[in-house]
Amino acid sequence: MTADVINWGLLALEPPGWGGVLLAGLFNSIKIALGGYSLGLVLGTGGACGKLYGGPVVKDLMEIYTTLVRAVPELVLILLLYYAGTDLLNRAAAALGYGTVNISGLAAGIFVIGVVQGAYATEVLRGAILAVPAGQIEAARAYGMSPLLTLRRVTLPAMLPHAIPGLSNLWLISTKDTALLAVVGFSELTLVTRQAAGATKAYMLFFCAAGALYLILTLVSNLIIRFIEARARRGWAAPS
Amino acid sequence: MRAEERAREAALLVELPPEETTVEATALTHLPSARGFFKPHRIVLMAVAGGLVFCAIWFLRWDWLPQYAGALAWGVGVSLLLLASTSILGFAIAVPIGLVQVTGPWPLKALAQGFCTIIRGTPLLLQLWLLYYGLGSLFPQFPAIRQSFLWPYLREAWPYGVAALTFSFAAYEGEVMRGAFAGVPRGELEAARAFGMSRWKLFWRIWLPRAVHRALPTLNGETVLQLKSTPLVATITVIDVYAVVSKIRQVTYLTYEPLLLLALIYLLLTALLVLAFRYFENKIPTRSV
Amino acid sequence: MTERAEAIAVRDLRKRFGALEVLRGISLTAHEGDVIAIIGGSGSGKSTFLRCINMLETPSSGSVAIRGEAIALKGDGHGGLAPSNRRQVQRLRARLGMVFQSFNLWQHMTIIQNVIEAPVHVLGVPRAEAMERGEALLRRVGLFEKRDVYPSFLSGGQQQRAAIARALAVQPHAMLFDEPTSALDPELVGEVLGVIGDLAKEKRTMILVTHEMKFARNVASHIVFLAQGVIEEQGPPEQIFGDPRSERLRKFISSVH
Amino acid sequence: MTERAEAIAVRDLRKRFGALEVLRGISLTAHEGDVIAIIGGSGSGKSTFLRCINMLETPSSGSVAIRGEAIALKGDGHGGLAPSNRRQVQRLRARLGMVFQSFNLWQHMTIIQNVIEAPVHVLGVPRAEAMERGEALLRRVGLFEKRDVYPSFLSGGQQQRAAIARALAVQPHAMLFDEPTSALDPELVGEVLGVIGDLAKEKRTMILVTHEMKFARNVASHIVFLAQGVIEEQGPPEQIFGDPRSERLRKFISSVH
Amino acid sequence: EPVKVGVAAEPYPPFASPDASGKWEGWEIEFAQAICKQAKLDCVITPVAWDGIIPALTTKKIDMIVGSMSITPERLKTIDFSDKYYNTPTGVIGPKSEAFDATPAGLKGKTIGVQVATIHQDYANKYFAPAGATVKEYQTQDEANNDLAAGRLDAVQADAIALTDFLKTDQGKQCCELKGNVKDDPAVLGAGVGVGLRKGDTELKGKVNAAIKAIRADGTYDAFSKKYFDFDVYGG
Ligand SMILES: Nc1ncnc2c1ncn2[C@@H]1O[C@H](COP(=O)(O)OP(=O)(O)OP(=O)(O)O)[C@@H](O)[C@H]1O
Ligand SMILES: Nc1ncnc2c1ncn2[C@@H]1O[C@H](COP(=O)(O)OP(=O)(O)OP(=O)(O)O)[C@@H](O)[C@H]1O
Ligand SMILES: [Mg+2]
Ligand SMILES: [Mg+2]
């Protein structure tokens, strides 16, 4: 129980070690982060297009969305969305006569992280699209491309190099935001760490172990990001 | 020389994407402009919004509000105090962290970079719990600490909250300051040297203010992000506005109302922060290119 | 001239930006094989005129017809016009090869991908066929070895030649050039003008805005001098440069020489 | 010339960057009131020489004396020299007004703050006095109305004039100019040269690196032609421009004219 | 359709805590399994953050709460309860080095830790805070215990069984002892612990009540209780 004897056996993968539980929690965190991030990308792409090309009403609605999400703490948003979002969904389903829909914790977590990420991604992508030289898009128009084709063939691929640093940061934020789901009792890495620490009283050991896991996740992600970035930057002249 | 290069390479391996790229995307730094507020579609939207607010007031329960007004105000005060103290302390640490990464000897450089990477690479919630439940429960095992004059403070929760938030701010803003220090044009520093400034004078009069000036827009965003991080301290028994609202939720068993109010409070606080920063930024105008 | 078909016919084109009337009634017909050079001072509306032809800029009034097919226009509710049929505009645009002052090559595609993009994705040419034709075009502008290189690795002159190949790849009815050399360093201008000169010799229909008077004189079959949004003077190069009538034109020519 | 005091005396200055020896033994004396223009091709070491005078670059060997006071130097352990007394360098620098090619005004201060910064914070002049003198200087360079404006809102020419006022504010024993006009648009060059010309007429000690030959000829009392790190030729302007001896100088003059 | 049984996501031994394989175990988990079996319900144990467990129930994230939740008049305004399934007194523990008793006078000037959203919180706020004690709220019981051991609290008030369990651990044995049980106040401390149910979910309530009666009658309840306690946890 004192710090001088660290009981590494507590981290063993098999019970009575808690390593397996931690890894399962990490796996849950990654699942939510991946799901939320993907959902965020979809929402963000829609949001950015809406903000740039939408009608006045769409533009204003998007502005409200990104303003609210960027001004309110994630923790508060997560609580609101976790309870309100699923409740509204249930009520809507009930009103439409579907009865209650069964929302798993995983889906709720993905939904919550996704909505938050969506607002962030909207801003990142909007900035990246604005960074595409207007002439590139005009050339597409001049060759008879329809607006959708222009978006698919020119605007989106051309903005990618501008968006990647921002999107990489969003991914790192998304992995860390999963920890906030601990406060609604979702069994991701941070919560299982707290449970393990509470059950064994080895607080330092487990929190440090979880920190190391998050850090590894971050650093491995970062290596992958660099690889992707190097590929997306093909075509950009090397900085002279 | 060789060692330095190796250290730099090793450090490069763990460098995270620059913080500046997302600050504006994750923190509100500009309020929507009031101009053109009265276009037809806006009036409709505002009517809808008004309707929603009315519904919220009419159909939801707000009778608990007067009873807790005092506690809420107190909580807001605690949140703001936390924000101010940790931002200022964090900034004070961020300056040397940014500076040594630009000019420091490599051991300091590596240390600063390691600090930034570890803090930026792990969730704040975890850091908070590590400090409070982890480190905090180790302290009393040392009689020396238990008997020291620090113990009355170490018993409390807020020092751990302040420490965690300060470190977090220092790491994120240190990364920003690194870019800001490195981005000050060499010529301006050279001009200062050419006018006979000593190193200290050059740092205090030219390099630091110029770097801060450059970092100001990002600093705005970082401070908003810091405000958004403060509610996490409620999980280690500090009673900020989030904790007050949690308590209201538990006592009244209301799901939405307290949270909506909380969101509104943070929205207003963010707007206030943005306005304050706009005031400062306008003091030193820069021509937008 | 009269027996050849009309490639581009512009009637009484007007364009205003807010209070500023940039084009004040321009009519111009380019028959198949015509090479028309548009010259004029800065701000005289040359670019705007060119951009109105393929509706990158919508005119305030007037009409444009490509190969006898009038572009359908309707009021846009703000006192100007807008195409009433977007598909028609896209179809007609697809066969007008436009070359911009700043090249506007797509930076995320290699040179050959730039060249085959419009044929494959707009005109629906099979990829292999487009590839083959694209490579032939690149060979022609002297860029075959650069086919798999990204644009930002090329010099300005090479980029502009690639842009010309891209415009040729859609087998255009007519080519539109907007100051194709003015973003280039002086030593690179020659290589681009050489390519355009060759195209002119083939009797391709071309409308080009240029500041290179010597070049315009050698290459164009017809010169149009724009001033303050109207055609101040037009005619064969010998007449425009040898015997300018209007005072303005005379001044303009002496200022650029 | 001989009876006037020595303002700047450089003896056998050498400077190497790694393997490259940029300055290969330069000696030059500027007496009070001299206006010395340094000319020479790109990379000939003009800037390096100027920067060695106030130790922004430390020489590899040789010595520099300001108003008869030699700058104390010691070996830096890498085969070069370094100032042995930092305070001395700072004190001497404070009275050498340096004007850079790219102005280097401090962007976070207004123009007047830029001007009074060194007098107040380095020389310890009372703020009110510095302010008064600074305003007089700004009036002199024609920037009085811009005193409370931040540098980024000024044109290049205005910025350079402000930089000159900043250099004058320390009441310098000598002024050093490193190509003060070469970062300016051609139409802005005149206003800056005008200010420098006025200073020259007042018989201020100045060393200026410039590419403006006509200006150097009109203003300088002495011309130094640097080539490949040595003084190839020097003398009064009439001789240098009218009757150049060395082949290199002759070539240089004809190339820049 | 499975019935989601909400348990607090925090360790609360001996009633419910996760083991090293991530499975939940404890007296209350066995109780939940017993009534589900009895009532032929297909149950899944769903951990939920304690302070959000009632919203989770009302927003249908879970269908019942088996989380040592006492039946209080205040809670009955929002949710419904089954009959009680256990009842234990409320105790106060403190460090061995200090002598005081579990009365408002004894706790004057002391910092007392309680878990949020519990009857103990309400009780401490009603009786001890006005008498000059500082009440500190914790997300989990476990963290309050830990802070007591760490010397950051002077006392912890909680369910007597949970406290006894803590005092049996190494950590508890070293530092602390039971200072006594508090004076009962049914208006605050409630009438025992019941299964939390959504209002209007009468069908489930009927099944649960019947199941509780049945396992009490057929000895199942006593059988698994013996594994944990050497007294009658059902209470009088
Ligand atoms: N989108 C626009 N909005 C407002 N004014 C415009 C716009 N485009 C062009 N103009 C104005 O129209 C006038 C003509 O512009 P245009 O680009 O056609 O001139 P130009 O003859 O091509 O000149 P240059 O030789 O400089 O390219 C200019 O005064 C310009 O400022
Ligand atoms: N810090 C440095 N490190 C290495 N080489 C340098 C450095 N500074 C200057 N040089 C080299 O020294 C040579 C002389 O440079 P310098 O700037 O003095 O030339 P210059 O005469 O001022 O030329 P210009 O007219 O282009 O300004 C150049 O070859 C330059 O590349
Ligand atoms: Mg133009
Ligand atoms: Mg130079």
Side-chain angles (χ1 to χ4, degrees), chain B residues 26 53 136 141 186 198 237 278:
Chain B
T26 51
V53 171
Q141 294 170 7
R186 285 187 60 82
S198 65
T237 77
R278 189 193 289 175

Side-chain angles (χ1 to χ4, degrees), chain C residues 121-141:
Chain C
H121 287 101
V122 179
L123 301 176
V125 176
R127 191 176 195 82
E129 190 188 327
M131 202 73 170
E132 199 174 303
R133 257 196 284 148
E135 290 183 354
L137 285 170
L138 283 181
R139 201 170 278 123
R140 186 166 162 195
V141 298

Side-chain angles (χ1 to χ4, degrees), chain C residues 17 20 22 40-49 57 101 178-179 209 211:
Chain C
F17 290 113
L20 181 75
V22 177
S42 181
S44 55
K46 307 181 296 293
S47 298
T48 307
F49 174 65
E57 217 65 86
Q101 175 179 3
D178 189 0
E179 304 191 19
V209 172
H211 281 150

Side-chain angles (χ1 to χ4, degrees), chain C residues 12-182:
Chain C
D12 197 31
L13 192 75
R14 286 166 185 276
K15 172 70 186 175
R16 46 190 328 137
F17 290 113
L20 181 75
E21 187 159 30
V22 177
L23 300 178
R24 299 185 296 143
I26 296 199
S27 300
L28 183 72
T29 304
H31 293 88
E32 305 267 343
D34 279 357
V35 176
I36 298 181
I38 301 179
I39 62 175
S42 181
S44 55
K46 307 181 296 293
S47 298
T48 307
F49 174 65
L50 210 65
R51 292 161 56 80
C52 278
I53 292 178
N54 65 0
M55 296 288 141
L56 283 180
E57 217 65 86
T58 54
S60 304
S61 72
S63 69
V64 176
I66 312 288
R67 292 188 120 200
E69 177 179 355
I71 298 179
L73 294 169
K74 61 163 194 251
D76 66 353
H78 302 292
L81 295 174
S84 52
N85 180 348
R86 217 165 49 202
R87 276 169 204 282
Q88 183 203 26
V89 172
Q90 284 164 14
R91 179 167 50 78
L92 293 176
R93 268 180 189 163
R95 302 300 287 271
L96 287 173
M98 179 122 180
V99 177
F100 298 85
Q101 175 179 3
S102 46
F103 333 138
N104 292 344
L105 289 173
W106 295 305
Q107 301 288 317
H108 59 290
M109 301 178 184
T110 61
I111 296 301
I112 185 72
Q113 285 168 344
N114 263 281
V115 171
I116 65 170
E117 177 69 17
V120 172
H121 287 101
V122 179
L123 301 176
V125 176
R127 191 176 195 82
E129 190 188 327
M131 202 73 170
E132 199 174 303
R133 257 196 284 148
E135 290 183 354
L137 285 170
L138 283 181
R139 201 170 278 123
R140 186 166 162 195
V141 298
L143 284 178
F144 183 70
E145 326 76 67
K146 300 283 183 189
R147 54 199 288 285
D148 292 325
V149 167
Y150 286 87
S152 55
F153 292 90
L154 298 186
S155 75
Q158 290 171 323
Q159 290 193 47
Q160 193 60 297
R161 282 186 282 150
I164 292 174
R166 178 175 70 171
L168 287 170
V170 295
Q171 302 192 295
H173 302 319
M175 308 260 298
L176 310 175
F177 292 85
D178 189 0
E179 304 191 19
T181 59
S182 66

Side-chain angles (χ1 to χ4, degrees), chain B residues 13-257:
Chain B
L13 200 68
V14 293
E15 204 166 283
L16 303 181
E19 170 71 3
E20 290 93 328
T21 53
T22 42
V23 172
E24 275 194 42
T26 51
L28 190 72
T29 51
H30 298 283
L31 298 182
S33 77
R35 233 181 315 134
F37 235 110
F38 296 103
K39 291 180 190 150
H41 75 275
R42 291 241 163 110
I43 293 177
V44 174
L45 279 179
M46 279 192 288
V48 172
L52 282 177
V53 171
F54 177 78
C55 286
I57 293 174
W58 191 255
F59 292 111
L60 299 178
R61 257 186 62 196
W62 299 99
D63 52 337
W64 46 270
L65 199 53
Q67 190 188 342
Y68 290 100
L72 282 170
W74 168 262
V76 169
V78 170
S79 290
L80 285 180
L81 196 65
L82 267 175
L83 172 69
S85 57
T86 59
S87 303
I88 292 169
L89 280 175
F91 186 77
I93 303 178
V95 167
I97 283 182
L99 191 66
V100 297
Q101 288 189 77
V102 175
T103 59
W106 74 263
L108 279 182
K109 210 183 269 187
L111 208 68
Q113 201 163 26
F115 174 79
C116 288
T117 306
I118 288 175
I119 301 277
R120 291 179 64 210
T122 52
L124 177 57
L125 187 61
L126 191 75
Q127 295 161 18
L128 210 55
W129 290 356
L130 174 70
L131 280 186
Y132 184 73
Y133 295 116
L135 203 61
S137 65
L138 288 186
F139 284 152
Q141 294 170 7
F142 302 99
I145 295 181
R146 219 168 163 148
Q147 259 108 57
S148 83
F149 70 98
L150 282 174
W151 179 241
Y153 301 105
L154 292 179
R155 277 188 70 168
E156 299 285 330
W158 61 264
Y160 300 90
V162 168
L165 285 175
T166 299
F167 290 151
S168 160
F169 193 82
Y172 285 96
E173 183 63 20
E175 156 80 14
V176 172
M177 286 311 290
R178 175 180 68 126
F181 276 120
V184 172
R186 285 187 60 82
E188 287 181 39
L189 301 181
E190 209 155 64
R193 287 206 284 142
F195 280 104
M197 287 194 189
S198 65
R199 290 186 198 184
W200 268 113
K201 202 145 259 171
L202 181 142
F203 177 73
W204 282 114
R205 297 289 314 166
I206 309 294
W207 208 5
L208 180 62
R210 187 77 168 83
V212 171
H213 180 213
R214 282 179 65 94
L216 214 50
T218 319
L219 189 62
N220 179 0
E222 286 295 345
T223 316
V224 172
L225 288 179
Q226 182 78 347
L227 172 67
K228 296 206 291 170
S229 300
T230 53
L232 292 179
V233 297
T235 63
I236 58 164
T237 77
V238 178
I239 309 290
D240 72 336
V241 64
Y242 176 89
V244 171
V245 167
S246 293
K247 190 165 175 171
I248 296 174
R249 280 174 55 214
Q250 286 142 19
V251 173
T252 61
Y253 302 111
L254 292 171
T255 314
Y256 303 125
E257 293 86 342

Side-chain angles (χ1 to χ4, degrees), chain E residues 16 24-25 40 50 56 114 116 143 174 177 196 204 207:
Chain E
W24 286 81
E25 58 178 23
K40 305 207 167 48
W50 168 253
V114 293
V116 283
E143 282 156 7
Q174 270 193 5
E177 64 187 7
L204 190 59
K207 282 187 190 165

Side-chain angles (χ1 to χ4, degrees), chain B residues 242-288:
Chain B
Y242 176 89
V244 171
V245 167
S246 293
K247 190 165 175 171
I248 296 174
R249 280 174 55 214
Q250 286 142 19
V251 173
T252 61
Y253 302 111
L254 292 171
T255 314
Y256 303 125
E257 293 86 342
L259 283 178
L260 285 175
L261 179 73
L262 187 60
L264 182 70
I265 289 175
Y266 279 110
L267 199 65
L268 293 178
L269 291 181
T270 304
L272 267 177
L273 262 187
V274 173
L275 286 178
F277 266 93
R278 189 193 289 175
Y279 173 77
F280 282 116
E281 275 176 55
N282 285 346
K283 287 204 133 178
I284 301 186
T286 26
R287 202 159 68 172
S288 49

